[in-house]
PDB file of all heavy atoms in Angstrom:
ATOM      1  N   GLU A 151      42.623  80.355  61.140  1.00 96.00           N
ATOM      2  CA  GLU A 151      42.607  81.794  60.850  1.00 96.00           C
ATOM      3  C   GLU A 151      42.034  82.039  59.463  1.00 96.00           C
ATOM      4  O   GLU A 151      42.101  81.182  58.597  1.00 96.00           O
ATOM      5  CB  GLU A 151      44.023  82.375  61.010  1.00 96.00           C
ATOM      6  CG  GLU A 151      45.094  81.699  60.166  1.00 96.00           C
ATOM      7  CD  GLU A 151      45.129  82.180  58.746  1.00 96.00           C
ATOM      8  OE1 GLU A 151      44.594  83.264  58.491  1.00 96.00           O
ATOM      9  OE2 GLU A 151      45.673  81.453  57.887  1.00 96.00           O
ATOM     10  N   PHE A 152      41.469  83.229  59.300  1.00 96.00           N
ATOM     11  CA  PHE A 152      40.857  83.590  58.004  1.00 96.00           C
ATOM     12  C   PHE A 152      41.442  84.914  57.508  1.00 96.00           C
ATOM     13  O   PHE A 152      40.736  85.736  56.931  1.00 96.00           O
ATOM     14  CB  PHE A 152      39.330  83.671  58.155  1.00 96.00           C
ATOM     15  CG  PHE A 152      38.725  82.379  58.640  1.00 96.00           C
ATOM     16  CD1 PHE A 152      38.424  82.188  59.976  1.00 96.00           C
ATOM     17  CD2 PHE A 152      38.511  81.324  57.761  1.00 96.00           C
ATOM     18  CE1 PHE A 152      37.886  80.990  60.437  1.00 96.00           C
ATOM     19  CE2 PHE A 152      37.982  80.119  58.209  1.00 96.00           C
ATOM     20  CZ  PHE A 152      37.671  79.953  59.552  1.00 96.00           C
ATOM     21  N   LEU A 153      42.716  85.129  57.794  1.00 95.00           N
ATOM     22  CA  LEU A 153      43.344  86.408  57.445  1.00 95.00           C
ATOM     23  C   LEU A 153      43.810  86.408  56.003  1.00 95.00           C
ATOM     24  O   LEU A 153      44.400  85.439  55.541  1.00 95.00           O
ATOM     25  CB  LEU A 153      44.568  86.654  58.346  1.00 95.00           C
ATOM     26  CG  LEU A 153      44.380  86.448  59.846  1.00 95.00           C
ATOM     27  CD1 LEU A 153      45.696  86.679  60.569  1.00 95.00           C
ATOM     28  CD2 LEU A 153      43.306  87.387  60.361  1.00 95.00           C
ATOM     29  N   GLU A 155      46.452  87.906  53.387  1.00 93.00           N
ATOM     30  CA  GLU A 155      47.719  88.627  53.368  1.00 93.00           C
ATOM     31  C   GLU A 155      47.470  90.022  52.810  1.00 93.00           C
ATOM     32  O   GLU A 155      46.655  90.203  51.915  1.00 93.00           O
ATOM     33  CB  GLU A 155      48.748  87.896  52.499  1.00 93.00           C
ATOM     34  CG  GLU A 155      49.322  86.697  53.205  1.00 93.00           C
ATOM     35  CD  GLU A 155      50.368  85.972  52.370  1.00 93.00           C
ATOM     36  OE1 GLU A 155      50.983  86.594  51.492  1.00 93.00           O
ATOM     37  OE2 GLU A 155      50.549  84.773  52.602  1.00 93.00           O
ATOM     38  N   LYS A 204      37.744  75.630  57.833  1.00 96.00           N
ATOM     39  CA  LYS A 204      38.858  76.348  57.203  1.00 96.00           C
ATOM     40  C   LYS A 204      39.041  75.919  55.739  1.00 96.00           C
ATOM     41  O   LYS A 204      39.118  76.742  54.821  1.00 96.00           O
ATOM     42  CB  LYS A 204      40.139  76.090  58.006  1.00 96.00           C
ATOM     43  CG  LYS A 204      41.415  76.530  57.347  1.00 96.00           C
ATOM     44  CD  LYS A 204      41.503  78.031  57.256  1.00 96.00           C
ATOM     45  CE  LYS A 204      42.662  78.442  56.380  1.00 96.00           C
ATOM     46  NZ  LYS A 204      43.023  79.812  56.480  1.00 96.00           N
ATOM     47  N   ASN A 208      38.217  78.244  52.216  1.00 97.00           N
ATOM     48  CA  ASN A 208      39.188  78.551  51.151  1.00 97.00           C
ATOM     49  C   ASN A 208      38.780  77.900  49.827  1.00 97.00           C
ATOM     50  O   ASN A 208      38.902  78.503  48.765  1.00 97.00           O
ATOM     51  CB  ASN A 208      40.597  78.107  51.557  1.00 97.00           C
ATOM     52  CG  ASN A 208      41.313  79.185  52.368  1.00 97.00           C
ATOM     53  OD1 ASN A 208      40.737  80.230  52.631  1.00 97.00           O
ATOM     54  ND2 ASN A 208      42.551  78.941  52.745  1.00 97.00           N
ATOM     55  N   PHE A 249      35.332  88.310  45.699  1.00 98.00           N
ATOM     56  CA  PHE A 249      35.944  87.149  45.038  1.00 98.00           C
ATOM     57  C   PHE A 249      35.264  86.831  43.711  1.00 98.00           C
ATOM     58  O   PHE A 249      35.137  85.679  43.320  1.00 98.00           O
ATOM     59  CB  PHE A 249      36.008  85.929  45.982  1.00 98.00           C
ATOM     60  CG  PHE A 249      37.128  86.094  46.970  1.00 98.00           C
ATOM     61  CD1 PHE A 249      37.006  86.972  48.027  1.00 98.00           C
ATOM     62  CD2 PHE A 249      38.322  85.436  46.789  1.00 98.00           C
ATOM     63  CE1 PHE A 249      38.044  87.194  48.901  1.00 98.00           C
ATOM     64  CE2 PHE A 249      39.380  85.648  47.660  1.00 98.00           C
ATOM     65  CZ  PHE A 249      39.238  86.530  48.718  1.00 98.00           C
ATOM     66  N   LEU A 250      34.845  87.885  43.040  1.00 98.00           N
ATOM     67  CA  LEU A 250      34.284  87.727  41.694  1.00 98.00           C
ATOM     68  C   LEU A 250      35.124  88.522  40.687  1.00 98.00           C
ATOM     69  O   LEU A 250      34.619  88.913  39.645  1.00 98.00           O
ATOM     70  CB  LEU A 250      32.827  88.202  41.666  1.00 98.00           C
ATOM     71  CG  LEU A 250      31.795  87.276  42.325  1.00 98.00           C
ATOM     72  CD1 LEU A 250      30.393  87.852  42.195  1.00 98.00           C
ATOM     73  CD2 LEU A 250      31.832  85.856  41.737  1.00 98.00           C
ATOM     74  N   ASN A 251      36.384  88.788  41.027  1.00 98.00           N
ATOM     75  CA  ASN A 251      37.251  89.479  40.064  1.00 98.00           C
ATOM     76  C   ASN A 251      37.931  88.446  39.179  1.00 98.00           C
ATOM     77  O   ASN A 251      38.756  87.661  39.660  1.00 98.00           O
ATOM     78  CB  ASN A 251      38.330  90.302  40.784  1.00 98.00           C
ATOM     79  CG  ASN A 251      37.718  91.429  41.593  1.00 98.00           C
ATOM     80  OD1 ASN A 251      36.738  92.048  41.168  1.00 98.00           O
ATOM     81  ND2 ASN A 251      38.260  91.670  42.765  1.00 98.00           N
ATOM     82  N   GLY A 257      46.437  82.439  43.203  1.00 98.00           N
ATOM     83  CA  GLY A 257      47.746  81.902  43.616  1.00 98.00           C
ATOM     84  C   GLY A 257      47.916  82.107  45.103  1.00 98.00           C
ATOM     85  O   GLY A 257      46.932  82.237  45.837  1.00 98.00           O
ATOM     86  N   CYS A 260      48.031  79.839  50.096  1.00 93.00           N
ATOM     87  CA  CYS A 260      46.875  79.191  50.731  1.00 93.00           C
ATOM     88  C   CYS A 260      45.960  78.466  49.753  1.00 93.00           C
ATOM     89  O   CYS A 260      45.793  77.253  49.843  1.00 93.00           O
ATOM     90  CB  CYS A 260      46.082  80.226  51.515  1.00 93.00           C
ATOM     91  SG  CYS A 260      47.096  81.084  52.722  1.00 93.00           S
ATOM     92  N   PHE A 261      45.337  79.190  48.829  1.00 96.00           N
ATOM     93  CA  PHE A 261      44.320  78.561  47.976  1.00 96.00           C
ATOM     94  C   PHE A 261      44.849  77.339  47.223  1.00 96.00           C
ATOM     95  O   PHE A 261      44.247  76.262  47.306  1.00 96.00           O
ATOM     96  CB  PHE A 261      43.724  79.574  46.984  1.00 96.00           C
ATOM     97  CG  PHE A 261      42.731  80.527  47.599  1.00 96.00           C
ATOM     98  CD1 PHE A 261      42.118  81.504  46.824  1.00 96.00           C
ATOM     99  CD2 PHE A 261      42.388  80.455  48.943  1.00 96.00           C
ATOM    100  CE1 PHE A 261      41.197  82.385  47.383  1.00 96.00           C
ATOM    101  CE2 PHE A 261      41.482  81.327  49.508  1.00 96.00           C
ATOM    102  CZ  PHE A 261      40.884  82.298  48.727  1.00 96.00           C
ATOM    103  N   PHE A 320      51.743  87.581  44.373  1.00 98.00           N
ATOM    104  CA  PHE A 320      50.576  86.767  43.995  1.00 98.00           C
ATOM    105  C   PHE A 320      49.280  87.565  44.032  1.00 98.00           C
ATOM    106  O   PHE A 320      48.269  87.145  43.475  1.00 98.00           O
ATOM    107  CB  PHE A 320      50.488  85.487  44.841  1.00 98.00           C
ATOM    108  CG  PHE A 320      49.846  85.637  46.199  1.00 98.00           C
ATOM    109  CD1 PHE A 320      48.490  85.406  46.369  1.00 98.00           C
ATOM    110  CD2 PHE A 320      50.595  85.984  47.308  1.00 98.00           C
ATOM    111  CE1 PHE A 320      47.883  85.516  47.619  1.00 98.00           C
ATOM    112  CE2 PHE A 320      49.999  86.114  48.557  1.00 98.00           C
ATOM    113  CZ  PHE A 320      48.642  85.887  48.711  1.00 98.00           C
ATOM    114  N   LYS A 321      49.333  88.721  44.696  1.00 97.00           N
ATOM    115  CA  LYS A 321      48.216  89.682  44.677  1.00 97.00           C
ATOM    116  C   LYS A 321      48.760  91.011  45.181  1.00 97.00           C
ATOM    117  O   LYS A 321      49.947  91.105  45.529  1.00 97.00           O
ATOM    118  CB  LYS A 321      47.060  89.191  45.545  1.00 97.00           C
ATOM    119  CG  LYS A 321      47.427  89.094  47.024  1.00 97.00           C
ATOM    120  CD  LYS A 321      46.212  88.820  47.862  1.00 97.00           C
ATOM    121  CE  LYS A 321      46.550  88.980  49.325  1.00 97.00           C
ATOM    122  NZ  LYS A 321      45.426  88.750  50.192  1.00 97.00           N
ATOM    123  N   GLU A 387      47.278  92.911  40.781  1.00 97.00           N
ATOM    124  CA  GLU A 387      46.264  93.968  40.890  1.00 97.00           C
ATOM    125  C   GLU A 387      46.670  95.115  41.818  1.00 97.00           C
ATOM    126  O   GLU A 387      45.858  95.590  42.624  1.00 97.00           O
ATOM    127  CB  GLU A 387      44.916  93.353  41.312  1.00 97.00           C
ATOM    128  CG  GLU A 387      44.852  92.678  42.689  1.00 97.00           C
ATOM    129  CD  GLU A 387      45.239  91.209  42.696  1.00 97.00           C
ATOM    130  OE1 GLU A 387      46.233  90.846  42.038  1.00 97.00           O
ATOM    131  OE2 GLU A 387      44.557  90.421  43.394  1.00 97.00           O
ATOM    132  N   ARG A 412      44.543  91.580  34.897  1.00 98.00           N
ATOM    133  CA  ARG A 412      43.742  91.800  36.111  1.00 98.00           C
ATOM    134  C   ARG A 412      42.579  92.770  35.902  1.00 98.00           C
ATOM    135  O   ARG A 412      42.004  93.251  36.891  1.00 98.00           O
ATOM    136  CB  ARG A 412      44.663  92.332  37.224  1.00 98.00           C
ATOM    137  CG  ARG A 412      45.792  91.388  37.622  1.00 98.00           C
ATOM    138  CD  ARG A 412      45.265  90.177  38.360  1.00 98.00           C
ATOM    139  NE  ARG A 412      46.348  89.460  39.013  1.00 98.00           N
ATOM    140  CZ  ARG A 412      46.164  88.567  39.966  1.00 98.00           C
ATOM    141  NH1 ARG A 412      44.937  88.275  40.371  1.00 98.00           N
ATOM    142  NH2 ARG A 412      47.174  87.940  40.505  1.00 98.00           N
TER     143      ARG A 412
HETATM  144  C1  UGA B   1      43.243  83.470  51.611  1.00 53.00           C
HETATM  145  C2  UGA B   1      41.855  83.682  52.228  1.00 53.00           C
HETATM  146  O1  UGA B   1      41.209  84.773  51.560  1.00 53.00           O
HETATM  147  C3  UGA B   1      41.945  83.973  53.720  1.00 53.00           C
HETATM  148  O2  UGA B   1      40.648  84.062  54.282  1.00 53.00           O
HETATM  149  C4  UGA B   1      42.707  82.824  54.405  1.00 53.00           C
HETATM  150  O3  UGA B   1      42.879  83.056  55.776  1.00 53.00           O
HETATM  151  C5  UGA B   1      44.077  82.696  53.757  1.00 53.00           C
HETATM  152  O4  UGA B   1      43.913  82.433  52.337  1.00 53.00           O
HETATM  153  C6  UGA B   1      44.798  81.529  54.420  1.00 53.00           C
HETATM  154  O5  UGA B   1      44.324  80.394  54.294  1.00 53.00           O
HETATM  155  O6  UGA B   1      45.751  81.750  55.164  1.00 53.00           O
HETATM  156  P1  UGA B   1      45.229  85.069  50.795  1.00 53.00           P
HETATM  157  O7  UGA B   1      45.905  83.825  50.315  1.00 53.00           O
HETATM  158  O8  UGA B   1      46.008  86.045  51.577  1.00 53.00           O
HETATM  159  O9  UGA B   1      43.956  84.697  51.717  1.00 53.00           O
HETATM  160  O10 UGA B   1      44.716  85.815  49.500  1.00 53.00           O
HETATM  161  P2  UGA B   1      43.315  86.179  48.831  1.00 53.00           P
HETATM  162  O11 UGA B   1      43.052  87.611  49.020  1.00 53.00           O
HETATM  163  O12 UGA B   1      42.272  85.247  49.240  1.00 53.00           O
HETATM  164  O13 UGA B   1      43.678  85.923  47.285  1.00 53.00           O
HETATM  165  C7  UGA B   1      44.102  84.645  46.827  1.00 53.00           C
HETATM  166  C8  UGA B   1      44.327  84.666  45.334  1.00 53.00           C
HETATM  167  O14 UGA B   1      43.098  84.813  44.632  1.00 53.00           O
HETATM  168  C9  UGA B   1      45.215  85.791  44.835  1.00 53.00           C
HETATM  169  O15 UGA B   1      46.074  85.297  43.841  1.00 53.00           O
HETATM  170  C10 UGA B   1      44.244  86.801  44.252  1.00 53.00           C
HETATM  171  O16 UGA B   1      44.822  87.601  43.237  1.00 53.00           O
HETATM  172  C11 UGA B   1      43.187  85.871  43.695  1.00 53.00           C
HETATM  173  N1  UGA B   1      41.848  86.494  43.580  1.00 53.00           N
HETATM  174  C12 UGA B   1      41.196  86.916  44.692  1.00 53.00           C
HETATM  175  C13 UGA B   1      41.252  86.608  42.324  1.00 53.00           C
HETATM  176  O17 UGA B   1      41.830  86.215  41.289  1.00 53.00           O
HETATM  177  N2  UGA B   1      40.011  87.158  42.242  1.00 53.00           N
HETATM  178  C14 UGA B   1      39.334  87.591  43.337  1.00 53.00           C
HETATM  179  O18 UGA B   1      38.186  88.082  43.172  1.00 53.00           O
HETATM  180  C15 UGA B   1      39.937  87.464  44.588  1.00 53.00           C
END
Side-chain angles (χ1 to χ4, degrees):
E151 56 81 19
F152 302 98
L153 312 178
E155 283 181 25
K204 169 68 190 194
N208 274 1
F249 283 75
L250 286 181
N251 295 323
C260 304
F261 284 180
F320 83 93
K321 64 171 190 179
E387 63 272 43
R412 299 290 194 164

